[in-house]
Amino acid sequence: MPKDFQKLRRVNIFSALAPKTLDSLASATREVSSKKGAVIFSKGDTPRAAFLVLHGEIAVECISNAGHAARIATLGPGDLLGELAVLGDIKRTADARAISDCVLLRIDAAVFRSMISKDESFAQSIISVLVARISSSNIQIECLATLSLRARLASLLINFVETEDQAIMRVTQSELADRLSATREKVNQHLRALHRTGSILLSRGRIEIIDRDALLDEIANI
């Protein structure tokens, strides 16, 4: 059995697919590696493939005319990348960049679209992904519209605690700024403020969550 078959079967969105469907999908995949900082695709590119993230993180970004990057999403293991442009057969509408060393499975665009039209279980899995993606985008838009940068920073730190199940976050201030579409200077200012309140312990390349409830208060009090 192809190793890519096994990798696909371990991914939630593909786990319920029939063996025949998985076998067809695996035959159209190719594992590719990307170093941190590498561009996966750029806005305006023709979509020749969709990608499944196996390892690492990918930033999906829009670049303004002034050259500033606004992060739309951060994708990790088990997430699909670039499927919207493939499904619509339209030019890429954003840039995708590796923010760590990554391993991806490349799924040929023609095969991806063919499976959507021919296999109902595959189509339902992709629809579930798209619904979750839209829901996440709506939440992100609401946060940008209603929450201050400090509240969004507190929310990001809480989310890390909940998803990684650990209190220590090893991340640079520049990486946090990228995730929040903010400047490093502004993020530094709010991190120091949270450090002074005792919510976090701040050190070089490392943030320790000291008081999760205090971070929740930062969001509730806005």
Side-chain angles (χ1 to χ4, degrees):
M1 189 174 292
K3 65 177 182 178
D4 286 349
F5 181 107
Q6 300 290 358
K7 290 177 180 178
L8 289 171
R9 190 165 62 179
R10 290 194 292 267
V11 176
N12 286 339
I13 60 172
F14 297 142
S15 60
L17 299 182
K20 183 178 179 181
T21 302
L22 277 176
D23 187 53
S24 296
L25 186 58
S27 67
T29 66
R30 177 168 59 86
E31 190 172 299
V32 295
S33 298
S34 295
K35 293 292 186 181
K36 180 179 179 180
V39 175
I40 310 302
F41 55 73
S42 299
K43 181 178 179 179
D45 286 353
T46 298
R48 304 189 186 282
F51 300 89
L52 176 68
V53 183
L54 295 177
H55 175 76
E57 286 191 316
I58 302 290
V60 181
E61 302 170 325
C62 282
I63 310 297
S64 71
N65 291 334
H68 300 300
R71 185 171 300 190
I72 301 170
T74 302
L75 305 180
D79 288 332
L80 276 176
L81 168 68
E83 75 285 354
L84 283 174
V86 168
L87 289 174
D89 196 18
I90 59 175
K91 300 291 186 181
R92 301 288 190 192
T93 58
D95 300 338
R97 174 177 58 87
I99 51 179
S100 67
D101 290 347
C102 295
V103 179
L104 312 171
L105 277 183
R106 184 185 188 277
I107 307 171
D108 181 78
V111 173
F112 193 88
R113 287 193 290 266
S114 176
M115 292 187 68
I116 286 287
S117 64
K118 294 179 180 178
D119 192 294
E120 183 178 349
S121 60
F122 185 74
Q124 287 296 327
S125 292
I126 300 305
I127 288 171
S128 297
V129 170
L130 298 180
V131 169
R133 191 74 53 82
I134 291 170
S135 177
S136 177
S137 295
N138 287 342
I139 292 171
Q140 185 179 21
I141 291 169
E142 182 179 357
C143 286
L144 287 171
T146 62
L147 298 181
S148 68
L149 175 58
R150 181 158 162 173
R152 289 192 286 126
L153 175 59
S155 178
L156 179 61
L157 296 176
I158 290 169
N159 183 66
F160 175 84
V161 171
E162 293 176 345
T163 56
E164 299 295 329
D165 194 28
Q166 56 181 299
I168 297 176
M169 186 176 186
R170 299 187 183 280
V171 63
T172 68
Q173 293 180 17
S174 293
E175 290 170 337
L176 288 176
D178 282 346
R179 288 176 181 266
L180 295 166
S181 297
T183 65
R184 180 187 176 282
E185 291 74 20
K186 287 290 186 181
V187 169
N188 176 268
Q189 175 185 334
H190 290 296
L191 283 173
R192 291 186 179 279
L194 293 174
H195 175 82
R196 289 194 294 270
T197 66
S199 302
I200 64 173
L201 182 62
L202 187 61
S203 58
R204 186 178 182 86
R206 166 176 157 158
I207 301 168
E208 183 174 357
I209 310 300
I210 303 298
D211 191 338
R212 180 179 179 276
D213 289 340
L215 290 177
L216 286 172
D217 287 341
E218 293 288 345
I219 302 171
N221 291 335
I222 296 303

